[in-house]
Amino acid sequence: EHSIALSTPYHLSSKKTLTMALTMRLNAPTMIAKMSAAKSRANAPGFIRSAVRKTDLTLAVPARRHNGTRAVSTKAVTREVISTDKAPAAVGPYSQGIKVGNTIYVSGCIGLVPETMKFVDETVAGQTKQVMDNMGEILKAAGATYGDVVKTTILLAEISDFGVVNPIYAEYFKDAPPARATFAVKDLPLGARVEIDCTAVIDV
């Protein structure tokens, strides 16, 4: 037999107090059983709690078994810094590229010549070609090509330069070009005329 103590306001009639007390007493076994079951599920080995860790690249993937239960398999994802002297060195606290699993993230490239770290010239056409060549070298260092690129972002100092940038850009993505976004911004690093970044996915 189980019972639950109930504190009843003084203003309730004695009849109401008695009815409420009897109801709680009769329903107590069911209520306690439900609370015990919930506590047992929370403490069971198969109960999964999710948490996010900024430095944890291990993925927990739930998989359904034939008997209806769930198992959790872990898959380690490698994170690799991509660096090459055939592209301009980073001019800030960032990497030329990062490879996570089979996905490659290339930082924004500007038209610097790797050997001199100066702009190839002052024209948007010359800088665009140098940008794409620099991007290609970083992709190559990561084991990828222009054909593996799935998304790019173009930043322009002047939106009026888009007509010059677009055909040069198109020479590097002739078949199935990647998704793209283009923006005009107030200023670019070191006074660049154009900056382009990309994301690529390779087969592993």
Side-chain angles (χ1 to χ4, degrees), residues 21-185:
L22 288 173
T23 300
M24 294 297 291
R25 187 178 182 85
L26 290 173
N27 291 336
T30 301
M31 296 171 64
I32 291 174
K34 288 182 177 179
M35 288 188 289
S36 297
K39 184 176 181 181
S40 298
R41 286 195 302 271
N43 292 329
F47 189 82
I48 302 173
R49 296 179 176 85
S50 61
V52 177
R53 297 179 180 178
K54 292 182 179 180
T55 58
D56 190 356
L57 294 178
T58 299
L59 303 180
V61 182
R64 186 179 294 277
R65 293 175 178 168
H66 294 297
N67 61 6
T69 62
R70 284 188 178 274
V72 176
S73 61
T74 58
K75 181 179 180 181
V77 179
T78 59
R79 180 181 184 277
E80 179 184 353
V81 174
I82 306 302
S83 178
T84 175
D85 58 6
K86 294 184 178 180
V91 294
Y94 63 89
S95 300
Q96 290 174 322
I98 293 290
K99 183 178 180 182
V100 180
N102 64 337
T103 303
I104 300 161
Y105 304 91
V106 176
S107 295
C109 299
I110 57 178
L112 298 177
V113 177
E115 293 78 13
T116 64
M117 290 299 290
K118 294 182 179 180
F119 286 109
V120 62
D121 60 35
E122 296 300 319
T123 69
V124 67
Q127 290 188 27
T128 300
K129 186 178 185 308
Q130 187 65 50
V131 162
M132 297 305 296
D133 289 343
N134 292 340
M135 179 189 295
E137 291 296 341
I138 299 172
L139 288 169
K140 183 179 179 181
T145 67
Y146 295 108
D148 297 312
V149 175
V150 296
K151 173 70 168 65
T152 65
T153 302
I154 300 177
L155 302 179
L156 300 172
E158 298 288 343
I159 195 63
S160 58
D161 288 334
F162 182 74
V164 177
V165 172
N166 202 46
I168 298 172
Y169 172 96
E171 293 177 5
Y172 293 82
F173 299 113
K174 295 181 179 180
D175 299 320
R180 182 179 74 180
T182 303
F183 303 94
V185 297

